[in-house]
Amino acid sequence: MSQKNIVVVGAGFAGIAATKKLAKQFKKNPDVTITLIDRNSYQTYMTELHEVAGGRVEPNAIQYDLQRLFCRLKNVHLVTDTVTEIDHNKKTVVTENDVYAFDYLILGMGGEPNDFGTPGVKEHAFTLWSLEDAVKIRTHIEETVAKAALERDAAKRKAMLTFVVCGSGFTGIEMIGELLDWKKRLAKDNKIDASEITLTVVEAAPTILNMISRSDADKAERFMTKKGIQLLKSSPIIAVDAESITLKSGEKISTHTLIWTAGVKANTDTEAFDMVEGRAGRLVANEYMEAKGLENVYVIGDLVYYEEFKDIPTPQIVQAAEQTGHTAAENIIAAIENTEKQKYVGKYQGFMVSIGSKYGVAHLGDNIHLSGFLAVLMKHLVNLYYFFGIRSGYYAVQYIFHEFFHIKDQRNIFRGHLSRYGNVLWSVPLRVFYGSMWLFEGVKKVFGLFGTTSWFGNEVVLPFSWLQEATTGASEAADAGEAVAEVAKPVFSLSFAYGEEPMMVFSKAPAWFESLMKFMVPTPEVALIFQKVMTLLEIAIGLAIIAGLFVWLLSALTIGLVASFALSGMFYWVNIWFVFVAIALMNGSGRAFGLDYYVIPWVQKAAGKWWYGTPRSLYK
C-alpha cells in the first residue's frame, strides 16, 4: 500500500475521537501517518468552562495535554499551529508556519459564539467558548465585585453587582448556576451582603432549556426561582453598551457584566476554505460526513451541517461531536482498507444540565428523569466515562481530585465532606501506633514472645488443619486439630484476663477459601516458608508505615491481609479495628513527617516520564 497521510484539524471532542480511532486502527501500519493540528497544545474540556469562569476549579483542571493523551500512539504527529488555508487542488493544509500534504482530511475546528449581529455584543459582552473566555470572565467578576465593595454611589454599585447571562441553553444555565454557588464567597471576601448580588437570565424564547423535556426544564426553573435567580423569558436583547443592556420591550437593565451564551455558529476561520456552507456557517456534509463537493474531505463536530431529519441538523453537543468523529474515521478506514462505508446514525443517550455543584436535572433514555443529587452524580459518571473512552486514566484521576477532593466552599454534591484540604498531621500518632502493632506481631513470631512458637523452636505453626492432619495421619486427626488450635494462634490475638473469651470472625475457614489455600499451601514445607514470608511481611509493613512510606498502598494491603486472616479462622472481632485504622490512614498520612512526602512526588515524576515521556517543545 502506498503512503497515506491523514490530517485532522481541531483537537476538540470530535477531533480527539476521530484521531484516537484512526490511530488505534493503523497502529501497526507504517504506511499510514496521522497529523493532528490545533492552535493549542491541549484539549479544552468545553463542558466545564463554566466551572472555571465561576471560580470552582482552576484553569489547568480542564486542560488536557495532547502529548499525554497520545503518548502511546506513535503514529500520531501533533502540531501546535493555526490553519490559515486549505488548498483543495494541491491537497495541502497551510498553517502559519508550515504546509502539510494530505490524502484524507478531517475538519473539526468547532464553533464560536453567534451574536446574531446584536449591536454592542462584540464590544461589551463576554462570551464563554474558550479557556481564555472563562479566565477573562472569572477575573472580571472578581475585580468588579472588589470595586463594588468600595463604591459609594448606590445605583452604580447595584449595576456592578448585577450579573446577566443571555441565553438559557446548557451553557447559560450552567453559568448562572456557578455564579449562584460563588456569590457567597465573593460577598464574604469583599465584606458585602450576598443579597446585594443579583443574578439574571435573559432568554428570547418563551421557555428555557429547550433541549430537554418540559417537565425537567420546569424543575430547573422552579429551583432557580427559589434560589432568587431572575428569569426574563420572551425578552430579546436588542442592544448592549458598557453599563447596560436594552431589551426589545424597551426595558433597560443596568449591569457591568453580560455573559453571552445565546447561540453558536461555525468557526469563522473556515470561511476562507471555499467549502459549501449551511445554516450558521456550518459546513455541509453527507451521511458519511464527507464534505459536499469534495473528495476525501470530512467535516465533524460543531462544524458539520448534516440534517439527520428534515431541517434538523446534528445537535452541537458532545455526544454528536464524538459520533460524527467516529463516523468520519470509520469511513477513512473503509476507504483505505476497501471495506463498506458507514452512515451516521445519531445515538443520544440523554441530556443533563447542572445548576451549580449540587443540583441538576437529567433526562436519560426514554423514561428516566433525574434531579438533584442523582442528576449531578450521573453527570460526573458520564464525564468519567469520557476519560475511559479516550483511554486516559491520568485525567480521570485528575478529574476525581478537582471535582471531589480539591474543592472549596462545599461546591460538590457531597458538600465539604470529601475535601482533602484537611491537616493530616493529627493522624501521625495513629500511623506510628498502627505500624508498631504490625511490627510487634512480626517480631513476637520470630522470637517466640507471649507463648507463640519462635522460628528457633522445633514446632511448626501450621495455618490450616489439613496440613497438620497430613503429618499425623487420619487416625490422629482429632489430636492434630487440637495441636493446630494450640500452635496456630490467631495472628492478632490479644491477651485477656477478665470477661468472656473474644469471638473469632470465622470459627473455621469457609470451604471455598480452604480449597484455595490447599492449592496455594499444599504441604507442611510450603506452609513453613509461607509462615516465614508472612512474618517478614508483617515486620516490613510495620517499619514502612512507621516511616510513612507507601502508606496508602500498605494500608490497602493490610485490609486484604486482615480479610485473609479472618477467613482462615485466625482473627478476633476485638481486633477488627485494624481495618478501620487502615482506612483512616489512607488520607495521605504518610506525607506528614513521613517518607511519602519525598518518595511519592519522585515516583509520580519517574512514572510520568516512563509512561508519557519527556514533554517536547511545541515548535519541534
Side-chain angles (χ1 to χ4, degrees):
M1 181 176 71
S2 60
Q3 186 70 35
K4 300 294 183 184
N5 296 317
I6 304 171
V7 176
V8 181
V9 180
F13 290 107
I16 295 291
T19 305
K20 284 274 187 176
K21 191 170 189 67
L22 290 166
K24 182 180 178 182
Q25 181 70 25
F26 295 119
K27 64 181 178 181
K28 295 182 179 179
N29 189 336
D31 294 325
V32 177
T33 60
I34 305 163
T35 301
L36 175 61
I37 305 173
D38 195 276
R39 65 182 60 190
N40 297 311
S41 63
Y42 53 84
Q43 177 195 9
T44 299
Y45 202 64
M46 298 287 287
T47 59
E48 285 190 54
L49 282 173
H50 59 280
E51 294 190 19
V52 174
R56 194 198 319 184
V57 303
E58 297 305 313
N60 61 4
I62 65 170
Q63 290 177 288
Y64 306 142
D65 191 335
L66 297 179
Q67 291 185 36
R68 284 184 178 270
L69 293 181
F70 292 96
C71 65
R72 294 285 162 173
L73 298 172
K74 304 303 182 185
N75 54 347
V76 177
H77 175 48
L78 300 174
V79 175
T80 303
D81 209 341
T82 299
V83 174
T84 58
E85 180 186 348
I86 295 176
D87 191 322
H88 296 291
N89 295 321
K90 295 181 180 179
K91 302 194 79 171
T92 58
V93 174
V94 181
T95 68
E96 290 179 348
N97 299 289
D98 215 334
V99 178
Y100 300 89
F102 68 84
D103 295 291
Y104 300 92
L105 173 64
I106 297 178
L107 296 176
M109 300 168 70
E112 60 185 50
N114 190 349
D115 61 16
F116 304 102
T118 306
V121 172
K122 283 186 173 65
E123 295 81 7
H124 305 297
F126 295 90
T127 56
L128 187 57
W129 201 256
S130 68
L131 186 61
E132 293 76 16
D133 288 346
V135 172
K136 189 182 297 185
I137 291 171
R138 178 178 181 155
T139 302
H140 167 79
I141 290 174
E142 289 173 334
E143 292 177 349
T144 301
V145 175
K147 291 176 182 177
L150 304 175
E151 180 58 52
R152 302 300 180 92
D153 185 288
K156 188 174 182 181
R157 177 188 177 91
K158 182 178 179 181
M160 296 173 75
L161 294 177
T162 297
F163 300 96
V164 180
V165 173
C166 178
S168 67
F170 291 166
T171 303
I173 295 302
E174 292 189 328
M175 184 67 244
I176 204 71
E178 289 303 319
L179 295 179
L180 176 65
D181 274 3
W182 197 18
K183 76 174 191 176
K184 286 184 179 179
R185 169 55 58 184
L186 289 168
K188 182 177 180 180
D189 288 350
N190 293 281
K191 299 181 177 67
I192 62 175
D193 193 321
S195 63
E196 293 187 75
I197 297 176
T198 301
L199 305 179
T200 303
V201 175
V202 177
E203 171 57 52
T207 54
I208 68 169
L209 289 172
N210 294 308
M211 285 288 288
I212 61 177
S213 70
R214 290 286 15 112
S215 62
D216 291 324
D218 289 343
K219 287 181 185 177
E221 185 170 345
R222 286 194 296 270
F223 174 81
M224 288 187 285
T225 301
K226 180 181 178 181
K227 293 296 182 179
I229 296 173
Q230 298 179 3
L231 298 173
L232 303 181
K233 296 176 285 186
S234 301
S235 302
I237 295 175
I238 61 172
V240 179
D241 61 37
E243 297 185 0
S244 68
I245 60 173
T246 304
L247 305 182
K248 188 176 182 179
S249 63
E251 179 185 357
K252 279 196 171 187
I253 299 175
S254 296
T255 178
H256 289 205
T257 307
L258 172 64
I259 302 173
W260 187 273
T261 68
V264 182
K265 63 180 179 180
N267 191 315
T268 52
D269 290 348
T270 62
E271 293 174 355
F273 294 174
D274 192 25
M275 298 173 67
V276 179
E277 295 183 1
R279 193 185 308 163
R282 296 166 69 178
L283 303 182
V284 178
N286 62 17
E287 64 269 33
Y288 305 112
M289 298 297 109
E290 296 169 324
K292 185 174 183 178
L294 296 170
E295 186 178 357
N296 297 331
V297 177
Y298 297 79
V299 189
I300 60 177
D302 289 351
L303 188 60
V304 67
Y305 186 88
Y306 166 64
E307 293 187 357
E308 288 190 82
F309 309 99
K310 183 173 175 56
D311 296 326
I312 302 177
T314 53
Q316 291 168 300
I317 58 175
V318 174
Q319 294 177 74
E322 291 189 290
Q323 290 171 31
T324 55
H326 287 153
T327 299
E330 286 167 352
N331 288 319
I332 290 176
I333 293 168
I336 293 175
E337 298 183 347
N338 294 316
T339 56
E340 187 177 352
K341 290 183 178 181
Q342 296 189 30
K343 296 181 180 180
Y344 175 80
V345 178
K347 297 178 181 178
Y348 311 122
Q349 304 302 318
F351 301 94
M352 292 168 284
V353 59
S354 59
I355 309 171
S357 58
K358 305 179 188 70
Y359 188 86
V361 293
H363 181 188
L364 309 177
D366 294 328
N367 300 308
I368 301 176
H369 298 268
L370 303 174
S371 61
F373 176 92
L374 290 177
V376 179
L377 179 62
M378 181 58 65
K379 185 175 182 181
H380 286 307
L381 293 176
V382 169
N383 287 341
L384 285 170
Y385 179 77
Y386 170 75
F387 297 116
F388 290 109
I390 62 173
R391 296 174 179 82
S392 180
Y394 174 82
Y395 283 116
V397 171
Q398 294 305 306
Y399 179 87
I400 291 171
F401 271 100
H402 79 247
E403 288 290 341
F404 292 96
F405 299 131
H406 295 168
I407 58 171
K408 298 178 181 178
D409 300 323
Q410 303 182 6
R411 296 178 72 174
N412 175 271
I413 51 174
F414 298 105
R415 275 56 179 180
H417 296 291
L418 300 184
S419 175
R420 269 285 308 273
Y421 286 113
N423 193 337
V424 297
L425 173 65
W426 314 119
S427 64
V428 172
L430 182 63
R431 188 191 82 211
V432 174
F433 169 75
Y434 189 63
S436 299
M437 292 300 295
W438 278 95
L439 178 62
F440 173 73
E441 291 296 333
V443 169
K444 79 177 185 181
K445 291 184 180 68
V446 173
F447 295 102
L449 303 176
F450 302 100
T452 60
T453 304
S454 78
W455 283 11
F456 310 108
N458 295 322
E459 293 180 312
V460 177
V461 180
L462 302 179
F464 299 101
S465 60
W466 74 81
L467 293 174
Q468 189 71 29
E469 290 169 2
T471 61
T472 58
S475 63
E476 300 176 304
D479 293 337
E482 293 176 2
V484 170
E486 175 63 28
V487 299
K489 293 182 184 295
V491 178
F492 297 123
S493 60
L494 297 178
S495 60
F496 53 92
Y498 304 102
E500 297 179 356
E501 180 178 345
M503 182 185 299
M504 286 190 174
V505 176
F506 290 99
S507 59
K508 60 175 294 185
W512 66 268
F513 187 76
E514 192 166 307
S515 299
L516 176 64
M517 294 309 298
K518 279 183 179 180
F519 174 78
M520 295 177 61
V521 189
T523 66
E525 292 75 20
V526 174
L528 180 60
I529 296 173
F530 182 81
Q531 176 195 342
K532 292 190 174 183
V533 169
M534 290 299 297
T535 300
L536 291 174
L537 181 61
E538 290 175 11
I539 293 173
I541 287 173
L543 291 172
I545 291 178
I546 291 170
L549 179 64
F550 300 126
V551 174
W552 193 98
L553 184 64
L554 292 178
S555 295
L557 175 61
T558 61
I559 294 172
L561 289 176
V562 168
S564 68
F565 295 148
L567 289 168
S568 302
M570 300 170 64
F571 194 81
Y572 287 138
W573 275 113
V574 294
N575 290 318
I576 203 68
W577 60 266
F578 271 81
V579 173
F580 300 100
V581 171
I583 293 172
L585 293 181
M586 295 171 77
N587 69 339
S589 62
R591 290 180 182 252
F593 294 102
L595 293 179
D596 280 349
Y597 179 83
Y598 306 98
V599 174
I600 296 301
W602 180 86
V603 169
Q604 290 172 333
K605 183 178 179 181
K609 187 173 182 180
W610 169 74
W611 184 258
Y612 297 110
T614 302
R616 299 183 301 277
S617 171
L618 299 183
Y619 50 79
K620 288 185 180 179

